Short mmCIF file of all heavy atoms in Angstrom, two decimals:
data_model
loop_
_atom_site.label_atom_id
_atom_site.label_comp_id
_atom_site.label_asym_id
_atom_site.label_seq_id
_atom_site.Cartn_x
_atom_site.Cartn_y
_atom_site.Cartn_z
N THR A 2 0.53 2.21 -0.83
CA THR A 2 1.31 3.43 -0.88
C THR A 2 1.05 4.29 0.35
O THR A 2 0.12 4.06 1.10
CB THR A 2 0.94 4.25 -2.14
OG1 THR A 2 -0.45 4.55 -2.09
CG2 THR A 2 1.24 3.47 -3.40
N GLY A 19 -20.83 15.56 -30.03
CA GLY A 19 -22.06 16.11 -29.51
C GLY A 19 -22.62 15.37 -28.32
O GLY A 19 -23.74 15.67 -27.89
N SER A 33 -7.62 3.95 -7.03
CA SER A 33 -8.95 3.62 -6.53
C SER A 33 -9.25 4.57 -5.39
O SER A 33 -8.40 4.76 -4.50
CB SER A 33 -9.00 2.18 -6.05
OG SER A 33 -10.28 1.86 -5.51
N ASN A 43 -13.02 24.89 -2.98
CA ASN A 43 -11.89 23.97 -3.14
C ASN A 43 -11.21 24.09 -4.50
O ASN A 43 -10.23 23.39 -4.75
CB ASN A 43 -12.36 22.53 -2.95
CG ASN A 43 -12.93 22.28 -1.58
OD1 ASN A 43 -12.54 22.93 -0.61
ND2 ASN A 43 -13.86 21.33 -1.48
N THR A 54 -8.52 26.69 -27.76
CA THR A 54 -9.44 27.51 -26.99
C THR A 54 -9.48 27.02 -25.54
O THR A 54 -9.26 25.84 -25.26
CB THR A 54 -10.86 27.47 -27.57
OG1 THR A 54 -11.39 26.14 -27.44
CG2 THR A 54 -10.87 27.89 -29.03
N ASP A 64 -22.09 19.50 -7.36
CA ASP A 64 -22.25 18.68 -8.56
C ASP A 64 -21.35 17.44 -8.51
O ASP A 64 -20.17 17.51 -8.16
CB ASP A 64 -21.92 19.48 -9.81
CG ASP A 64 -23.13 20.17 -10.41
OD1 ASP A 64 -24.22 20.08 -9.81
OD2 ASP A 64 -22.98 20.83 -11.47
N THR A 75 -17.28 18.41 -33.11
CA THR A 75 -16.21 18.03 -34.01
C THR A 75 -15.30 16.98 -33.37
O THR A 75 -15.30 16.80 -32.14
CB THR A 75 -15.35 19.26 -34.38
OG1 THR A 75 -14.84 19.86 -33.18
CG2 THR A 75 -16.18 20.29 -35.13
N ALA A 112 16.88 15.63 6.17
CA ALA A 112 18.05 16.40 6.58
C ALA A 112 17.76 17.90 6.55
O ALA A 112 18.17 18.65 7.45
CB ALA A 112 19.23 16.07 5.68
N THR A 203 12.06 11.55 -15.48
CA THR A 203 12.21 12.42 -16.64
C THR A 203 13.67 12.62 -16.97
O THR A 203 14.55 12.49 -16.11
CB THR A 203 11.56 13.79 -16.40
OG1 THR A 203 12.21 14.43 -15.29
CG2 THR A 203 10.07 13.65 -16.10
N GLY A 237 3.83 22.94 15.28
CA GLY A 237 2.55 23.07 14.58
C GLY A 237 2.59 24.00 13.38
O GLY A 237 1.57 24.19 12.71
#
Side-chain angles (χ1 to χ4, degrees):
T2 59
S33 178
N43 298 332
T54 65
D64 269 3
T75 57
T203 61

